[in-house]
Amino acid sequence: MRRMIHRIVPLGLPLLVFGVTGCNALFTGLMGMHSTPPHSPARVAADAARYRVPAAQVAVLDASYLRFVRRQAREASRYDAAKNHGQLLQLLYFDAAGRLVSFHINCYAPPKLPSLNLNWNPDGLLNTFPPASQVAPDQLLSFAQLLTFLRTPEGQPLAAEPLAVAPGGYRVVVFWSHTMGRQTRVLLRAVAQNLQRVPPGQPAPQVLYVNNDAYLGLLD
């Protein structure tokens, strides 16, 4: 994974899934990234505790998601959307009908100097809830379709019923990993700040923190 991250996160080059190569261990170290850990329920639980992710809201991205992204990318009209949905860190907001209405990915989060931490709130995008979209929302992936790729840490399909939202409510999905190390912490802080901006009277959003280390492990 180290050789993949170097050219994707800060430079916004095409999706790592499609064969990016090159190695710069010093750079990834400065960005606070790690080698992809072996996937196991115990490891996911330990990482959730390490990154202070609420255990009851943790899901795991099934590795079959990689096939979905690659399949969509074969069509020229879907390539850009597929590239975005395959990124390492993502923040997605779905409305009550399951439509993607706000989408944020690592490729377009510019790194700050000298820390190299990604800036998830350029131009104040996250100052409202739901936030203004960083990337034009697409209809490649509805919440219902994404749900088919989500599992419990033990590998069981994620039930839809507990994730229902009231009319006017939203589902927030955060892709995080130990692989992305410090950048995961940066994203989680940005999400926490945005969730404090839910307007009074609006239904509380359903938030899912999706660990994608198993998915990223296929890219080594």
Side-chain angles (χ1 to χ4, degrees), residues 41-59:
R43 177 70 201 220
V44 173
D47 284 340
R50 179 178 294 109
Y51 293 96
R52 299 184 180 180
V53 175
Q57 295 168 263
V58 171

Side-chain angles (χ1 to χ4, degrees), residues 115-132:
S115 69
L116 294 183
N117 288 340
L118 300 181
N119 179 13
W120 289 92
N121 194 25
D123 303 318
L125 294 179
L126 296 181
N127 289 346
T128 59
F129 184 95

Side-chain angles (χ1 to χ4, degrees), residues 9-219:
V9 178
L11 301 181
L13 294 180
L15 175 65
L16 68 167
V17 171
F18 305 139
V20 177
T21 58
C23 179
N24 191 328
L26 174 61
F27 182 88
T28 56
L30 290 173
M31 292 288 287
M33 302 171 192
H34 308 295
S35 297
T36 306
H39 173 75
S40 71
R43 177 70 201 220
V44 173
D47 284 340
R50 179 178 294 109
Y51 293 96
R52 299 184 180 180
V53 175
Q57 295 168 263
V58 171
V60 172
L61 187 66
D62 190 76
S64 63
Y65 185 74
L66 178 58
R67 293 195 297 273
F68 166 78
V69 170
R70 283 177 165 164
R71 187 169 62 250
Q72 300 304 312
R74 294 191 188 112
E75 296 188 28
S77 63
R78 297 183 178 183
Y79 179 86
D80 287 342
K83 172 176 66 70
N84 291 340
H85 283 282
Q87 291 302 320
L88 299 91
L89 294 175
Q90 301 182 41
L91 177 56
L92 308 97
Y93 294 74
F94 296 91
D95 65 14
R99 293 183 295 262
L100 181 63
V101 295
S102 184
F103 190 20
H104 306 253
I105 58 176
N106 51 257
C107 277
Y108 301 109
K112 298 178 180 178
L113 297 176
S115 69
L116 294 183
N117 288 340
L118 300 181
N119 179 13
W120 289 92
N121 194 25
D123 303 318
L125 294 179
L126 296 181
N127 289 346
T128 59
F129 184 95
S133 193
Q134 177 203 57
V135 180
D138 59 75
Q139 299 308 310
L140 184 72
L141 194 69
S142 67
F143 180 78
Q145 191 169 11
L146 176 60
L147 189 62
T148 66
F149 298 105
L150 302 185
R151 303 288 182 266
T152 67
E154 293 73 30
Q156 300 302 310
L158 211 62
E161 291 79 6
L163 303 175
V165 295
Y170 293 88
R171 298 179 183 92
V172 181
V173 179
V174 186
F175 279 30
W176 67 280
S177 65
H178 178 67
T179 303
M180 293 301 289
R182 189 176 79 238
Q183 301 307 323
T184 282
R185 298 186 191 278
V186 171
L187 173 59
L188 292 173
R189 285 198 298 268
V191 173
Q193 291 168 2
N194 181 249
L195 292 175
Q196 294 176 1
R197 299 182 181 274
V198 177
Q202 184 170 302
Q206 290 279 4
V207 185
L208 272 179
Y209 297 91
V210 178
N211 179 277
N212 61 353
D213 278 308
Y215 162 80
L216 298 181
L218 296 178
L219 309 176

